[in-house]
Every structure is written in C-alpha cells, then in structure tokens.
Amino acid sequence: MALDDLSLTFAALADPTRRAILARLASGESTVAELSEPFDISGPAVCKHLKVLEKAGLIVQGRKAQWRPRRIETGRLAAVDAWLGFYRPLWEARFDRMEDHLKQLQEGKANA
C-alpha cells in the first residue's frame, strides 16, 4: 500500500524524537553522532529515526569526506503548512468567536 507524501510526512512527525531531530537540524547540518547526543537511545535507533525522516523527504544525507551529515529539507514542511493553511481561517474564526464570548462573560460579571 503506497502512502501519499502528506501521510508519510505526518507519520514521520508523529514521533517526538523525530521532531526533536528536525529541530536540531533546523540550525544546520549534523552527523549521526551529533544528533544522537541528547537522546538516551542507541545509535541504531537514531539511524532508524533518520531513515523514517529521509523516506518522508524531511531530511537528506549529504557527503563531506568520510562524514554523512544530515540536513533538513523544507519542501515537505511547506506542503504541511499549505495543507494546514486551508484550515487556518476555520480555527481563527473559532478563536475570534471564543474571544468574543469570553469578553461577553467578563462584561456580564462586571455588570453583576
């Protein structure tokens, strides 16, 4: 069963370790050893997370001499942003209605 790109992206982003790896890569390239440092998991486990991120198109592996640093790819994140953008007016309208409702409640308490 083939998954669409958006489903692969969301599946990859579902894991907090992978999101933390992406956050680290947002500041620049890193090797597997550097990416492994903050986590209390094995190197092979980190490599599995990296493979999921690579399959989803969120990161790519570079090559610098004997090193294979990873770097973030923003294209798939832009696709997620575009997908969420479709729903943004909906939740903004709901927040606006909630804000109006809270103001009415506060005014009611002030008048009571």
Side-chain angles (χ1 to χ4, degrees), residues 38-52:
F39 303 109
D40 191 26
I41 58 176
S42 68
V46 170
C47 287
K48 285 182 181 181
H49 284 296
L50 293 174
K51 285 181 183 183
V52 171

Side-chain angles (χ1 to χ4, degrees), residues 45-85:
V46 170
C47 287
K48 285 182 181 181
H49 284 296
L50 293 174
K51 285 181 183 183
V52 171
L53 292 168
E54 287 172 3
K55 183 178 178 183
L58 292 167
I59 65 172
V60 294
Q61 179 177 308
R63 185 172 186 169
K64 290 185 178 176
Q66 73 269 27
W67 304 108
R68 303 282 187 268
R70 273 33 177 224
R71 71 177 180 276
I72 197 166
E73 278 292 312
T74 58
R76 294 283 171 88
L77 292 174
V80 169
D81 183 54
W83 184 83
L84 290 171

Side-chain angles (χ1 to χ4, degrees), residues 1-12 52 55-57 76:
M1 178 174 151
L3 292 175
D4 63 282
D5 291 343
L6 195 57
S7 295
L8 282 172
T9 302
F10 279 123
V52 171
K55 183 178 178 183
R76 294 283 171 88

Side-chain angles (χ1 to χ4, degrees), residues 103-112:
K103 284 180 183 176
Q104 289 174 357
L105 289 175
Q106 288 175 338
E107 289 171 1
K109 285 184 180 181
N111 293 334

